[in-house]
Amino acid sequence: HVVILISHVPWNGEQRSTARTLRAAARLASRKSGAGKISVVQGSWTSEAEQRNYGNRFAASLGNIDYVMVVDGDEFWHPVHLQLVLERLALSQEIIPFVEVPMSTHFGHLKSVIHPPEDCKALVIVSPVHCTFTIRRQVKCDIIDGVVAKTGLLFVDK
């Protein structure tokens, strides 16, 4: 299931229209292939963490959701890299509360990569039941099967 959260008021302070995003999301949700698989939720959240936690609660309310993938509107995933992350997650014998990946930062378009690379990782997959966002993409995870879930999987594509 895909949940698209669109904020009426941006938490980053940069005011701009969401009309195009809403139309595109509504088109996806109304397609035959998207029927019952895509939810578009509008709201007003005061922070990135608040919006992400709302998304976690919404996903958990759908039932039978193990993980939520977090992707901002200005991010993209190559399908091969996404498949590698999902396969590695599926093969793990441990409970993994979240997955982080190193990321490249681009300026303006894909051909303009910032160099040297920034030291940042994107938190991409979290357990909606066991983790909450604290600041931006930082998470705090609760106790899973009696073990404090402090660390997740750091995926490095080699």
Side-chain angles (χ1 to χ4, degrees):
H1 195 94
V2 175
V3 178
I4 302 171
L5 301 176
I6 301 172
S7 184
H8 298 295
V9 180
W11 31 256
N12 67 1
E14 188 179 318
Q15 189 73 22
R16 61 179 171 218
S17 173
T18 59
R20 286 180 51 197
T21 304
L22 284 169
R23 282 194 304 273
R27 275 195 310 273
L28 284 173
S30 67
R31 288 183 183 171
K32 187 176 180 180
S33 61
K37 299 177 187 174
I38 299 173
S39 299
V40 180
V41 181
Q42 297 179 63
S44 296
W45 299 279
T46 59
S47 70
E48 186 173 354
E50 184 182 348
Q51 184 174 1
R52 294 179 193 287
N53 286 325
Y54 178 89
N56 269 2
R57 288 189 305 275
F58 187 90
S61 76
L62 296 172
N64 202 25
I65 302 290
D66 294 322
Y67 293 99
V68 172
M69 182 171 183
V70 179
V71 182
D72 286 346
D74 61 349
E75 297 172 350
F76 70 95
W77 271 81
H78 190 284
V80 171
H81 292 146
L82 178 57
Q83 185 66 33
L84 289 170
V85 170
L86 295 176
E87 286 174 2
R88 182 143 174 219
L89 186 62
L91 291 173
S92 176
Q93 299 298 313
E94 301 173 3
I95 296 171
I96 298 173
F98 62 90
V99 177
E100 291 181 310
V101 296
M103 60 185 250
S104 299
T105 305
H106 300 262
F107 182 76
H109 55 80
L110 294 178
K111 294 181 181 179
S112 296
V113 180
I114 294 177
H115 193 77
E118 295 179 281
D119 183 25
C120 58
K121 293 182 251 348
L123 178 68
V124 293
I125 298 177
V126 299
S127 165
V129 176
H130 298 291
C131 298
T132 56
F133 289 90
T134 55
I135 301 171
R136 295 188 196 130
R137 291 188 182 210
Q138 295 177 20
V139 292
K140 176 181 176 186
C141 299
D142 66 6
I143 296 175
I144 301 173
D145 295 335
V147 178
V148 177
K150 292 182 180 176
T151 59
L153 173 67
L154 174 60
F155 180 81
V156 180
D157 181 26
K158 294 184 179 183

